[in-house]
Each structure stands twice: as structure tokens, then as C-alpha cells.
């Protein structure tokens, strides 16, 4: 029932929303990667969903993945998204000993891209038609201390398709 309290956060054209079973899967499987920010009134102001995973085709690819991070319009520009990202990065580094953290962001979402860049993320690759075949995404990554030589963030020279991502 608490999942329905997020409606004020999810009602945004740049926020990817999922069905209830998707949220429950994340909460059950990766609870340490799921955080909610609550305002003084108890109203949800933002959340982050993530997980740890690796790619079959990529060596040293154990990483934290940001599936969704969003903040209610009335709580934006207060540093809340940065705090939520730092929680996920901390878990990725100190609990799961990951090489990097990655996320996908709409190519048109310049505000988010700039925020991620300020946080140390860089564009690893462009994914053509990632959002329902209608909009491209950037796969952005931030190397963690385990990736001493920062191999995980060397940009790919050419765009990829969603089917190229394992």
C-alpha cells in the first residue's frame, strides 16, 4: 500500500514508472539499493531504486545500477537526488565492492545529465531508441575505487542498440 504514496513523485514526464510487481521485486531482492526520502509531513519526496549486477560479455563488470531516481517537483534543487545517489554509490562500493555505478538517462534530459556529470559520471555510450524506440539514452558511468585504472568508464566509440546490452 505504501507504493501508492509515491504518486506525487511519479507524476512527471521524465520519470519512468513501473507496475507494482516491478517495485516489489526490487524491494524484495535488493532492499539495500532502495531508499525513500520523506518530507517533514511524512509525504514521500523522492526515491531511488537500484540493484547490483554484472554483464556476461564484460569482464570486471560487477556494478551498482540506478534503475530509477526521482524527486517530487516541490523538492527539486535541494540536493535530494544527489543524496539518494550517494546512498546507492555507498552501497555499491562498501557493501558489494562494485567496479562502477551506471544509469540510463534520456538524451533530452539535460538537467539530469548535468547533475550526473557534476557527481562524477561520464557518458559511456549512447543507446539508440532505448526509450520505447522513440528516444535515445546515454549510459552514464562512475568508476568506484575497485576500478583502479578506470577501465569501466572508457567511452565506446559508436552508439549501440538496446539488443546489444546484456
Amino acid at each position: 500500500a505504501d507504493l501508492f504514496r509515491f504518486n506525487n513523485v511519479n507524476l512527471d514526464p521524465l520519470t519512468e514508472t513501473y507496475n507494482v510487481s516491478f517495485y516489489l521485486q526490487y524491494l524484495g531482492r535488493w532492499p539495500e539499493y532502495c531508499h525513500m526520502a520523506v518530507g517533514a509531513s511524512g509525504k514521500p519526496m523522492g526515491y531511488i531504486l537500484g540493484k547490483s549486477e554484472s554483464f556476461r560479455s564484460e569482464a570486471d563488470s560487477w556494478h551498482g545500477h540506478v534503475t530509477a531516481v526521482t524527486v517530487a517537483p516541490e523538492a527539486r534543487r535541494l540536493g535530494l537526488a544527489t543524496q539518494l545517489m550517494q546512498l546507492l554509490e555507498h552501497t555499491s562500493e562498501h557493501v558489494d565492492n562494485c567496479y562502477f555505478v551506471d544509469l540510463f538517462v534520456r538524451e533530452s534530459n539535460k538537467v539530469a545529465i548535468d547533475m550526473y556529470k557534476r557527481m562524477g559520471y561520464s557518458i559511456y555510450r549512447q543507446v539508440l531508441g532505448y526509450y520505447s524506440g522513440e528516444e535515445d539514452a546515454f549510459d552514464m558511468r562512475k568508476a568506484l575505487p575497485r576500478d583502479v585504472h578506470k577501465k569501466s568508464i572508457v567511452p565506446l566509440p559508436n552508439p549501440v542498440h538496446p539488443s546489444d546490452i546484456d
Side-chain angles (χ1 to χ4, degrees):
D2 282 346
L3 289 174
F4 297 112
R5 294 177 53 218
F6 286 105
N7 285 341
N8 68 306
V9 179
N10 276 340
L11 297 175
D12 179 316
L14 295 176
T15 297
E16 292 297 312
T17 56
Y18 307 97
N19 59 44
V20 172
S21 63
F22 184 88
Y23 290 103
L24 291 174
Q25 174 190 3
Y26 271 73
L27 289 168
R29 189 158 178 203
W30 300 284
E32 67 278 17
Y33 281 88
C34 302
H35 301 279
M36 178 175 67
V38 180
S41 68
K43 184 178 178 182
M45 301 311 292
Y47 67 84
I48 191 164
L49 288 178
K51 62 184 176 178
S52 55
E53 63 181 358
S54 64
F55 301 121
R56 291 179 296 244
S57 62
E58 194 175 322
D60 300 331
S61 69
W62 184 245
H63 67 282
H65 175 73
V66 179
T67 302
V69 59
T70 190
V71 174
E74 64 271 22
R76 292 187 181 153
R77 305 251 188 243
L78 301 174
L80 197 51
T82 299
Q83 291 175 23
L84 290 166
M85 290 290 293
Q86 288 169 342
L87 286 169
L88 187 137
E89 290 170 8
H90 184 271
T91 300
S92 298
E93 179 180 348
H94 297 287
V95 175
D96 284 332
N97 195 28
C98 294
Y99 287 94
F100 62 93
V101 173
D102 81 339
L103 57 89
F104 293 91
V105 60
R106 290 178 181 274
E107 195 175 53
S108 64
N109 193 347
K110 303 300 183 201
V111 172
I113 292 166
D114 290 343
M115 177 191 73
Y116 296 133
K117 285 182 176 180
R118 285 191 305 274
M119 295 180 62
Y121 287 79
S122 59
I123 296 172
Y124 172 69
R125 59 187 167 183
Q126 180 184 20
V127 184
L128 301 173
Y130 181 81
Y131 290 99
S132 303
E134 297 175 12
E135 185 173 358
D136 297 348
F138 289 132
D139 177 354
M140 298 185 75
R141 292 185 176 187
K142 179 178 182 177
L144 297 175
R146 183 175 182 190
D147 184 4
V148 176
H149 301 292
K150 308 221 180 298
K151 292 179 184 178
S152 65
I153 62 169
V154 174
L156 294 184
N158 299 307
V160 299
H161 293 90
S163 59
D164 299 326
I165 301 168
D166 64 20

